[in-house]
Amino acid sequence: MLGQMIKKPLLISGLIEHAVRFHGDTDVISVETTGGIERTHWEKIGINARRLASTLGKLGVEPGDRCGTIAWNNRRHLEIYFGVSGGGMVCHTLNPRLAPETLVYVINHAKDKILFVDRTFLPLVANLAPKLETVRRVVVLGPRDAEVGAMLEGLMFYDELLEAGDEAFKWPELDEMTASSLCYTSGTTGHPKGVVYSHRSTVLHSLVGCGPDAINIAARDTVMPVVPMFHVNAWGVPYIAAMQGARLVLPGPQLDGPSLAQLIDTEQVTLALGVPTIWMGLLAALRDGSATAASMKRTIVGGSALPPSMIAAFQDEFGIELIHAWGMTETSPLGTLNQLKSKHVGMDSAQLVELRKGQGRPPYGVELRIVGEDNMPLANDGLTQGRLQIRGHWIVDTYFGMDAPALTPDGWFDTGDIASLDAEGYLVIKDRAKDVIKSGGEWIASVELENIAIAHPGIANAAVIAAQHEKWDERPVVVAVKSPGSELDAAGLLAWFDGKVPAWQKPDAAFFVDALPVSGTGKVLKKELREIYGAVLTGNPASCEA
Ligand code: AMP
């Protein structure tokens, strides 16, 4: 033997123990479900995670069993992340905004044994309870409370569980391939599918995710994941914050612009993460002048396309850099981040604006390619569009409970996104394959049209969908939300596209609504819009006014 290095499994318990040992007094700040701000620190989070892990066995939970959570981003949820996974069980974060029947499906499919539930969601769980086939215990995140206790028979209280727990609990030495957490896709077509993350994939994702060309989190940062802890593990931020010993701000249930703006100022947040719709709210709040967000230097934005006009607005008006990122539940989620290379330093600003619009490039650990209908790789010339495929250390192989891998015969995961890649590895997402508008044999990507609409000062948000057309099969139609006080009409909005795209790509019609329908993870529900507006060009329109 030539000699070798220590073989130590990559485990989530190692992340929290590192935070306890070297960053024990660093703040974890949590906006509580009952209101008010709780201040604690990494040492206490670690102690509570150990206490929780020590009690799970007594509740009849065995290694590998799924423990569901229905909770906001808060301190107890963070402890569950580490306690459940570190203890050898699987932390299954559930999206409370799913339709009740979908939640029942997901809980039964995952065979969750325990549910950890924030008080807010107890009425929901009480409703679902008769249909839950495997759940043995429901634990409310809080102290004993008679009023809450009356809401569901047999409820347990998280704080009592911890009091009975053992803070000297020794974390099990697991195999690093052990399942650590589970998150279901939103399942816009068919049933949601479960993606199982491992200790190894989570730690590798954290090691890369904290780097300067990724999320860039240091011990000196105060990080606020606004992205929910049920949306792909809050993009891995809880683990990365522990690994780096960063200050962590968990914003709880108040996710409106004014509440976030105030929290950023009072807690001096330096970095936040979330979907574009959240930052639209923050932008409006900052423009109102009630907060400055002067401490916040960077925001990572992903989950759906970031309108370029928002990048300019945050930078020019508030000095905040918006970094566009792409990922999915199946990719843990970091797939690409829009960070520059040294050759881009000093680039002229028009070129830079163009580059920053896209979703960025992959960090070490993931590979990307685009392919045609025959699954053959296409040119990386920044122009050619194809199906985006990905593979790497934290990319799904096999969905929960499935026998066969979810991969192409040559080992890539097909994302269902249509994209281009350039020679430098920069990705531009054009559309979801199912949302592409097919007009007269040509494809029209909705994202670019949406970006143009949103850049109009009279428009707050917009979605472009395919409407059926007798001659062209499909034509684009824009559905938009006006900015407050805007007097823009449909003709004005359509004229705004002149000269910005080839004439044949211009939407055929424009409609105004008070709000766009969005999913629990902040994505516009285009299927719903297609149901309402899909026939407006066929002479058989549904009830909608242009
Ligand atoms: P989810 O698994 O719910 O996070 O959804 C993943 C999907 O969201 C991706 O396949 C993309 O279609 C979309 N998505 C995520 N980030 C972006 C982005 N930055 N730009 C455009 N689409 C995005």
Side-chain angles (χ1 to χ4, degrees), residues 213-376:
D213 272 1
I215 301 180
N216 189 4
I217 296 180
R220 298 164 298 289
D221 275 308
T222 297
V223 188
M224 180 166 76
V226 181
V227 49
M229 290 171 76
F230 59 74
H231 188 200
V232 215
N233 300 319
W235 300 351
V237 171
Y239 308 114
I240 298 175
M243 172 179 272
Q244 297 300 90
R247 274 180 96 229
L248 187 62
V249 177
L250 300 169
Q254 304 301 333
L255 303 178
D256 57 286
S259 304
L260 291 176
Q262 200 192 351
L263 194 59
I264 291 167
D265 278 6
T266 50
E267 298 306 334
Q268 294 289 290
V269 170
T270 61
L271 164 66
L273 302 95
V275 295
T277 42
I278 287 285
W279 304 130
M280 285 178 187
L282 180 70
L283 187 59
L286 294 179
R287 282 175 172 162
D288 279 353
S290 55
T292 63
S295 57
M296 194 159 84
K297 300 291 172 241
R298 286 167 296 128
T299 299
I300 307 280
V301 192
S304 55
L306 166 61
S309 48
M310 267 176 75
I311 303 182
F314 270 97
Q315 186 68 58
D316 301 346
E317 297 173 42
F318 303 102
I320 299 169
E321 184 188 11
L322 295 197
I323 297 162
H324 198 181
W326 169 88
M328 6 179 13
T329 308
E330 287 90 339
T331 67
S332 294
L334 292 183
T336 63
L337 294 112
N338 200 320
Q339 300 282 12
L340 301 181
K341 297 184 178 179
S342 56
K343 63 171 64 162
H344 301 132
V345 176
M347 212 180 197
D348 80 58
S349 62
Q351 280 176 307
L352 214 49
V353 166
E354 196 52 35
L355 183 72
R356 300 306 303 262
K357 267 168 50 175
Q359 282 76 3
R361 59 189 166 87
Y364 163 78
V366 292
E367 293 171 79
L368 298 177
R369 71 177 186 184
I370 50 166
V371 301
E373 289 308 318
D374 55 1
N375 209 45
M376 293 305 285

Side-chain angles (χ1 to χ4, degrees), residues 183-187 195 197 231-232 235 275-276 301-306 323-331 333 336 357-360 388 413-418 427-435 447 519 521-523:
C183 188
Y184 276 68
T185 60
S186 43
V195 178
Y197 312 97
H231 188 200
V232 215
W235 300 351
V275 295
V301 192
S304 55
L306 166 61
I323 297 162
H324 198 181
W326 169 88
M328 6 179 13
T329 308
E330 287 90 339
T331 67
T336 63
K357 267 168 50 175
Q359 282 76 3
L388 178 66
F413 175 73
D414 191 296
T415 62
D417 285 338
I418 303 294
L427 170 76
V428 177
I429 298 281
K430 304 288 181 185
D431 226 326
R432 290 294 288 162
K434 59 182 173 13
D435 293 335
V447 172
S519 73
T521 52
K523 292 182 217 302

Side-chain angles (χ1 to χ4, degrees), residues 14 18 73 85 118 125 259 283 293 331 353 421 426:
H18 175 82
N73 290 12
S85 303
D118 250 334
V125 172
S259 304
L283 187 59
T331 67
V353 166
L421 281 169
Y426 282 81

